[in-house]
Amino acid sequence: NDSLSYSWSVAGQTFSSKTVTLRISSVGQYTGYVKVSDGKHSDSAKFTLVIAANQKPIFTSLTWNPTTIVKVGTSWFKDGNDNNLSDVTLTVVASDPENESLKYTFADIDAGTGIEDTTTSSKTYKLNDLAVGKHALKVTLSDGTNSVVQYASFEVKQNTAPLFKTF
């Protein structure tokens, strides 16, 4: 068994070990060469290394459940049904082209409060904490390099008793 020697050249860097760690900070395509020798014979190969830019995460959907909330007295109901509710949830479906972990930031832009960073793709609001009216939310999605923003809103409606008129 002959001992092997290695010679690498790529992106202006040279190495003489079996494995190499490149320090390339620019996006682009680089041509490299590697040569292996046992002292008697050698072989070489040319290769191409592509360094691509990190792509932005992608929002697929923002979904509220339930989609309609009605307050009757001190109780909450969804979509006009008799199901008593205690919360509403925004679920984000998203992906990252490089399959990096995603961080979700939920910010209540109406009140300027409720900012929460999480790796969980949903945010639940307790209905007792919400006033009747429209509520807007800023959702920021980050892969650690790039961030994208989308806005979502929902409305809490107050159900009022019907008025009878006499004729």
Side-chain angles (χ1 to χ4, degrees):
N1 249 354
D2 293 331
S3 136
L4 300 175
S5 64
Y6 302 87
S7 175
W8 296 81
S9 173
V10 63
Q13 301 173 58
T14 57
F15 305 92
S16 59
S17 58
K18 184 177 180 177
T19 60
V20 298
T21 301
L22 298 172
R23 306 250 188 270
I24 300 175
S25 59
S26 298
V27 171
Q29 183 171 315
Y30 300 88
T31 300
Y33 303 90
V34 60
K35 180 178 178 182
V36 180
S37 174
D38 66 2
K40 297 177 189 164
H41 303 92
S42 65
D43 197 10
S44 60
K46 177 181 175 181
F47 62 91
T48 301
L49 176 66
V50 177
I51 306 297
N54 183 295
Q55 297 178 47
K56 293 179 181 179
I58 300 165
F59 277 104
T60 303
S61 67
L62 297 172
T63 307
W64 288 104
N65 185 25
T67 55
T68 302
I69 306 160
V70 178
K71 184 175 183 182
V72 179
T74 58
S75 297
W76 301 89
F77 301 93
K78 70 176 187 175
D79 300 324
N81 294 326
D82 291 333
N83 301 339
N84 203 350
L85 296 172
S86 62
D87 53 37
V88 60
T89 301
L90 174 65
T91 301
V92 178
V93 177
S95 61
D96 183 71
E98 294 83 24
N99 293 319
E100 295 181 60
S101 297
L102 296 174
K103 181 175 94 174
Y104 303 81
T105 303
F106 298 92
D108 180 348
I109 60 176
D110 294 324
T113 60
I115 295 174
E116 179 182 346
D117 289 336
T118 180
T119 56
T120 304
S121 62
S122 64
K123 172 73 174 157
T124 299
Y125 293 88
K126 296 293 179 197
L127 290 173
N128 287 335
D129 297 337
L130 300 174
V132 170
K134 290 191 178 206
H135 298 271
L137 190 68
K138 177 181 176 183
V139 181
T140 304
L141 185 60
S142 174
D143 65 5
T145 302
N146 293 306
S147 296
V148 291
V149 173
Q150 280 209 358
Y151 296 89
S153 65
F154 66 95
E155 184 175 5
V156 176
K157 297 179 180 179
Q158 178 72 49
N159 189 11
T160 55
L163 297 174
F164 290 98
K165 289 187 176 183
T166 57
F167 296 95

